[in-house]
C-alpha cells in the first residue's frame, strides 16, 4: 500500500489598499492581516493625518500587508497631494471714502489695504454701482466719469470671501476742456 500526503496552502488575501479622505486630510491603509503604512518611505501611524501647509505638498504612500506571518511582496503605492492652505481676506480698506470727478475725467483706483497681510489672494475686482455715472477700466486700473450723479466704486476680494469696500464717486455735468 502506498500513502499520499496532501498539503493545502491557504491563499494569501492580504493585499492592502490605500484611501485618502480629502475632507479630513487622512490617509488610511486597509487589508487582511497586519497592514503597515509608509509616508515617503517612513512608517507612519495608520491612519495618517496630514496638515495643510502654505505650499502644496505631494506625498508618496505605500502599504504592505502580512498575513499568517508572511510579508506580502505586493506593495500598493498612492500619491497624495494636499492642497495649499488658503487664508481668506477678512477686510479691505480704501484710502478714501469719496472721489469727486467731472464728466470726462479719469482717475486711478484708490489705494487698497488687504487684511490679513498673509492672505493667499490679495487681488480685488472693481465695479461700479451705476455704469451711467462712471465706467471701470480694470485692466488699466482707472475709472472714467461718463455722466452726472454719484455711484459707488466697489472693491471685492477676488478670493471668494465676499469681503468688499466701497467709496462714493460724485460726478458733475461740466465737461473738462479737451476731452
Amino acid at each position: 500500500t502506498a500513502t499520499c500526503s496532501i498539503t493545502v496552502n491557504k491563499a494569501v488575501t492580504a493585499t492592502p489598499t490605500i484611501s485618502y479622505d480629502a475632507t479630513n486630510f487622512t490617509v488610511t491603509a486597509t487589508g487582511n492581516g497586519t497592514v503597515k503604512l509608509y509616508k515617503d518611505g517612513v512608517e507612519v501611524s495608520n491612519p495618517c493625518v496630514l496638515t495643510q501647509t502654505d505650499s502644496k505638498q505631494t506625498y508618496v504612500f505605500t502599504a504592505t500587508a502580512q498575513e499568517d506571518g508572511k510579508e506580502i511582496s505586493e506593495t500598493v503605492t498612492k500619491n497624495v497631494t494636499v492642497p495649499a492652505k488658503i487664508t481668506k481676506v477678512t477686510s479691505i480698506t480704501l484710502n478714501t471714502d469719496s472721489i469727486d470727478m467731472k464728466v470726462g475725467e479719469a482717475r486711478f483706483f484708490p489705494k487698497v489695504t488687504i487684511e490679513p497681510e498673509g492672505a493667499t489672494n490679495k487681488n480685488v475686482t472693481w465695479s461700479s454701482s451705476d455704469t451711467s455715472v462712471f465706467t471701470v477700466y480694470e485692466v488699466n486700473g482707472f475709472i472714467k466719469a461718463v455722466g452726472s450723479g454719484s455711484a459707488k466704486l466697489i472693491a471685492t476680494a477676488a478670493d471668494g470671501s465676499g469681503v468688499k469696500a466701497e467709496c462714493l464717486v460724485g460726478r458733475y455735468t461740466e465737461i473738462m476742456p479737451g476731452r
Side-chain angles (χ1 to χ4, degrees):
T1 355
T3 59
C4 177
S5 164
I6 298 175
T7 304
V8 178
N9 289 325
K10 181 180 172 189
V12 177
T13 58
T15 302
T17 59
I18 300 174
S19 59
Y20 173 55
D21 177 347
T23 303
N24 297 311
F25 305 112
T26 305
V27 178
T28 307
T30 56
N32 295 331
T34 304
V35 179
K36 293 181 181 179
L37 181 64
Y38 300 86
K39 179 175 92 173
D40 295 330
V42 177
E43 188 173 355
V44 292
S45 63
N46 186 12
C48 175
V49 179
L50 303 173
T51 57
Q52 285 184 294
T53 62
D54 290 330
S55 61
K56 189 187 261 187
Q57 292 189 349
T58 300
Y59 301 101
V60 178
F61 282 89
T62 55
T64 59
Q66 269 190 349
E67 187 174 26
D68 294 335
K70 296 178 183 172
E71 184 80 22
I72 303 305
S73 60
E74 183 173 353
T75 300
V76 177
T77 302
K78 183 175 186 79
N79 292 334
V80 174
T81 300
V82 180
K85 182 178 179 181
I86 296 173
T87 303
K88 297 258 186 186
V89 171
T90 57
S91 76
I92 300 173
T93 307
L94 303 178
N95 69 338
T96 185
D97 292 332
S98 64
I99 300 172
D100 292 327
M101 297 175 68
K102 296 178 182 173
V103 173
E105 184 179 6
R107 294 266 181 97
F108 287 109
F109 295 143
K111 184 178 182 223
V112 176
T113 303
I114 301 286
E115 293 293 332
E117 191 164 318
T120 304
N121 180 352
K122 293 184 180 183
N123 295 322
V124 297
T125 58
W126 296 93
S127 60
S128 170
S129 65
D130 185 348
T131 55
S132 70
V133 176
F134 72 87
T135 304
V136 173
Y137 294 91
E138 191 155 7
V139 172
N140 299 358
F142 69 90
I143 57 174
K144 183 175 182 181
V146 293
S148 298
S150 61
K152 294 177 186 174
L153 175 61
I154 305 161
T156 305
D159 67 356
S161 63
V163 176
K164 297 179 181 184
E166 301 175 349
C167 75
L168 187 64
V169 178
R171 309 308 191 280
Y172 303 100
T173 55
E174 177 187 331
I175 297 177
M176 294 182 61
R179 304 241 175 175

